[in-house]
Amino acid sequence: MSLIGSRTAILILKLSPLILPFVVLFCGGVFLTVCQSLGIFTPLPHTGGILAAYNIILSDPSFFASFGFSLGVALTSAAGSVAAGTFLAYRVWQLPKALAGAALMYKIPLILPHIAVAFVVLIFWSQSGILSSLAYHLGLIQSMPDFPNVLYSGWGLGMILAYTLKGTPFAMLLILALLVRFDVRQIQTAAMLGASKRCIFFSIVLPRLAPAMHTSFIILFLYSFGAFDIPYILSESRPGMLSLHVFDLYFKHDLARRPEAMAILTLMFCFAVLFIIAYSKTVTHLENGVRKL
Amino acid sequence: MKLFSHTLVLVLLFSLFALPAAILLLVGLAPGWRFPDLWPAQFSFTGIQFLITHQDQIVSSLVSSFLYSVATVLVTLGMCLTPAAAFARNRFAGKRLMEALVLTPALVPPMTFAMGLHVVFIRLSLADTVAGVVLILALFTYPYMFRALVTGFQTLGEEYRVCARNLGAGPVTIFWRVELPLLVPAMIAGGSVVFLVAFSEYFLVFLMGGGTVPSFTGFLMPLLASSNRSLAAILTLIFLLLPILLFFVIDGSLMRSYRKKGMV
């Protein structure tokens, strides 16, 4: 009994460098966010009921517009990144050894910070940008305003482009890591049995890549849902990402509105956690339905 | 035909991922490059001149970013080393749940816990200090280090440890002389991601550093939105080059030390 007890004690001791900061700082941080959203520990004494901030937020239609907008930008860019990343990773994996080294350039956006990728999108896609000049020389447009206003379309296209440009190499990285361990003989066998290229990709390769695709989708989706850097540079005025909304409430309004910022953060946190749980449940459910080799 | 499609893939990769860097170089050298010119009408060195006149500020923000990012790597390493070993080697109740839980800080929006902590950091006088910045960055990035180290310990297996113990080595010797050298690749893999995330993070450094902790992203941010695109482009290129340089140095010194020990 005491042997088990001491083993558990040693285990807890070994885990503590991780568990302690997790509980104290991470859980504590979330706890304080929730508290402040309820008007506790706020810099100014809180007036109104405990749910006052939530009432203000949830009765404001612009919150739901922002929420939907953030969701749309995050979903589109994450899905785009995973689709492009899967395709490109598969093609890179098929490259002969002599060319594989050159393919390493896909890692460049991984090194660039998000704000720099936003800057690249700005240089390429603004109406006075590179692509606009190219369209002019190709005779597609006669003057600058003819070029579609991609960055300020109201659809968050600039942010979607930036997140996809940054996210695609990330998805490629995770998927290539799986492909490296992939058994080529499975493909050779299928080809010998007469499977088409499309069939090989969709029935043999894709199911093997699913775990990496799911992981990268969750990470990219949640990141673009809640991050601040790219929206700060490429934002359009309305409806705007939730993170910008929080930033404004936190830094640009008086302290009395702090609980509102914290209420939005609490809702974002709850959404993120629910999303992770729901997504992993669905994936396990789907995978259980698929026949395993 | 096959070669053609392979070339097409490389061209696609180039235009998506490498061309932006090449364009940044052009933008950096041609401040007057405007629509509808496809190629800059003239080049100038005003961006570089600004770089030289403001070199103190630029170098200090670069050094500061570099140092707090390296410190973040070291802190995450300290946080994850023994827990990763314990996770890789033991079975215990609630392990999967615990693993999922400790990875959440990298998944949920960092704002949600960082802004709550901000008040406490201010009370503890950690706000506006390098320590505060490192702490919040470590909290956001340790999951990458943790994942890499767990995988590292799993690939390592038990054999080396058992063998060393049979030869009479104590736990400390086993760790220092046997396991740590073999774990270096995993540490570098995790450390590179942690370094990159810390080095390129803007918001958390802005929040906890409060402007008193200089950072390269903080220096770059206002320039990106300004009309001086040339300077922003040059600084972005520096951003690209510094980590590449760092990885080359680490890779080279690692190979040298492995060769010295006869491991390669």
Side-chain angles (χ1 to χ4, degrees):
Chain A
M1 189 62 206
S2 75
L3 188 71
I4 299 169
S6 72
R7 277 191 60 184
T8 318
I10 289 174
L11 185 66
I12 291 174
L13 196 69
K14 278 184 177 166
L15 291 177
S16 59
L18 197 57
I19 303 303
L20 232 57
F22 173 78
V23 172
V24 174
L25 289 173
F26 177 72
C27 299
V30 175
F31 175 73
L32 285 171
T33 302
V34 177
C35 280
Q36 291 182 63
S37 77
L38 300 171
I40 309 162
F41 302 133
T42 42
L44 282 184
H46 185 59
T47 50
I50 203 159
L51 291 175
Y54 289 91
N55 275 330
I56 299 174
I57 295 297
L58 293 173
S59 58
D60 180 4
S62 78
F63 168 74
F64 292 98
S66 276
F67 186 83
F69 184 71
S70 304
L71 210 62
V73 168
L75 275 176
T76 320
S77 57
S81 302
V82 173
T86 309
F87 171 74
L88 287 172
Y90 184 54
R91 298 309 304 260
V92 165
W93 180 63
Q94 289 176 321
L95 286 178
K97 268 221 168 78
L99 297 178
L104 281 177
M105 63 188 156
Y106 83 87
K107 289 190 174 173
I108 291 175
L110 286 177
I111 303 172
L112 283 176
H114 281 85
I115 52 172
V117 173
F119 179 59
V120 166
V121 168
L122 210 65
I123 289 180
F124 271 82
W125 290 90
S126 68
Q127 282 187 312
S128 59
I130 309 266
L131 290 172
S132 175
S133 303
L134 188 66
Y136 177 82
H137 282 273
L138 290 174
L140 296 172
I141 59 172
Q142 264 67 55
S143 65
M144 207 154 71
D146 289 346
F147 191 74
N149 198 354
V150 177
L151 297 184
Y152 305 102
S153 60
W155 291 92
L157 284 178
M159 285 182 275
I160 292 175
L161 283 168
Y163 278 126
T164 312
L165 188 62
K166 179 85 182 150
T168 302
F170 177 76
M172 283 177 77
L173 190 73
L174 295 193
I175 289 161
L176 272 169
L178 261 191
L179 274 171
V180 169
R181 282 177 280 158
F182 188 75
D183 194 344
V184 197
R185 284 174 299 182
Q186 290 188 24
I187 292 180
Q188 289 165 342
T189 313
M192 280 191 282
L193 292 171
S196 68
K197 273 186 180 168
R198 175 190 290 261
C199 178
I200 289 175
F201 180 71
F202 282 101
S203 317
I204 299 175
V205 180
L206 214 54
R208 298 291 176 289
L209 299 184
M213 289 168 73
H214 291 310
T215 313
S216 45
F217 181 82
I218 293 187
I219 293 175
L220 293 172
F221 170 78
L222 287 175
Y223 187 87
S224 28
F225 177 75
F228 173 78
D229 300 7
I230 284 182
Y232 193 59
I233 295 180
L234 289 172
S235 74
E236 303 160 30
S237 50
R238 296 238 155 227
M241 299 289 273
L242 282 177
S243 53
L244 278 184
H245 206 44
V246 173
F247 181 85
D248 281 345
L249 280 172
Y250 195 90
F251 288 107
K252 296 187 180 163
H253 288 274
D254 69 274
L255 289 171
R257 297 193 68 180
R258 186 79 41 109
E260 289 173 49
M262 294 304 179
I264 299 181
L265 286 177
T266 306
L267 294 174
M268 283 168 77
F269 179 80
C270 294
F271 172 78
V273 171
L274 284 178
F275 177 83
I276 299 171
I277 295 171
Y279 191 95
S280 17
K281 281 244 159 80
T282 323
V283 167
T284 355
H285 184 73
L286 281 178
E287 280 175 353
N288 285 340
V290 177
R291 188 171 58 94
K292 293 254 160 53
L293 263 179
Chain B
M1 194 57 213
K2 233 190 167 124
L3 192 69
F4 176 73
S5 87
H6 287 323
T7 319
L8 213 63
V9 172
L10 284 182
V11 169
L12 191 62
L13 286 177
F14 177 81
S15 42
L16 278 177
F17 305 131
L19 189 66
I23 297 280
L24 282 177
L25 191 63
L26 280 184
V27 175
L29 292 175
W33 187 13
R34 300 227 140 76
F35 181 88
D37 293 345
L38 256 188
W39 186 259
Q42 71 181 84
F43 290 93
S44 93
F45 290 105
T46 44
I48 309 234
Q49 267 159 19
F50 185 95
L51 212 64
I52 293 165
T53 43
H54 289 73
Q55 57 176 325
D56 290 348
Q57 217 183 340
I58 292 168
V59 169
S60 75
S61 63
L62 253 181
V63 168
S64 168
S65 277
F66 184 81
L67 289 180
Y68 69 64
S69 304
V70 171
T72 308
V73 173
L74 295 178
V75 170
T76 55
L77 193 62
M79 279 167 81
C80 299
L81 212 46
T82 57
F87 260 88
R89 285 173 184 158
N90 298 294
R91 290 158 167 267
F92 51 88
K95 183 173 152 179
R96 285 194 61 162
L97 179 72
M98 200 189 268
E99 192 165 12
L101 278 178
V102 295
L103 293 179
T104 40
L107 289 174
V108 299
M111 270 185 163
T112 56
F113 54 89
M115 280 183 153
L117 278 178
H118 193 203
V119 187
V120 182
F121 274 42
I122 292 173
R123 293 249 172 96
L124 298 175
S125 310
L126 273 171
D128 304 353
T129 66
V130 178
V133 169
V134 171
L135 213 54
I136 198 73
L137 285 174
L139 191 62
F140 178 50
T141 55
Y142 81 79
Y144 304 106
M145 182 63 91
F146 181 66
R147 281 296 324 152
L149 287 180
V150 169
T151 319
F153 274 111
Q154 276 166 348
T155 18
L156 204 60
E158 295 279 307
E159 288 87 357
Y160 287 106
R161 199 156 54 122
V162 172
C163 186
R165 200 178 331 156
N166 287 341
L167 291 170
V172 181
T173 319
I174 295 177
F175 182 71
W176 267 113
R177 303 269 312 267
V178 181
E179 292 186 325
L180 210 60
L182 289 167
L183 270 175
V184 168
M187 289 195 266
I188 287 182
S192 324
V193 181
V194 170
F195 179 86
L196 278 181
V197 175
F199 195 62
S200 49
E201 177 63 36
Y202 169 76
F203 179 74
L204 291 178
V205 181
F206 168 78
L207 181 74
M208 290 303 181
T212 47
V213 178
S215 75
F216 201 53
T217 38
F219 186 77
L220 184 59
M221 188 62 123
L223 292 169
L224 293 178
S226 80
S227 53
N228 194 347
R229 287 191 169 177
S230 150
L231 182 64
I234 293 176
L235 291 172
T236 307
L237 283 174
I238 295 179
F239 232 121
L240 194 59
L241 289 180
L242 195 77
I244 294 180
L245 210 67
L246 180 70
F247 295 149
F248 266 113
V249 169
I250 289 180
D251 218 39
S253 53
L254 191 65
M255 284 312 276
R256 253 202 313 282
S257 83
Y258 273 3
R259 230 169 264 144
K260 220 185 267 170
K261 286 182 186 159
M263 284 165 80
V264 180

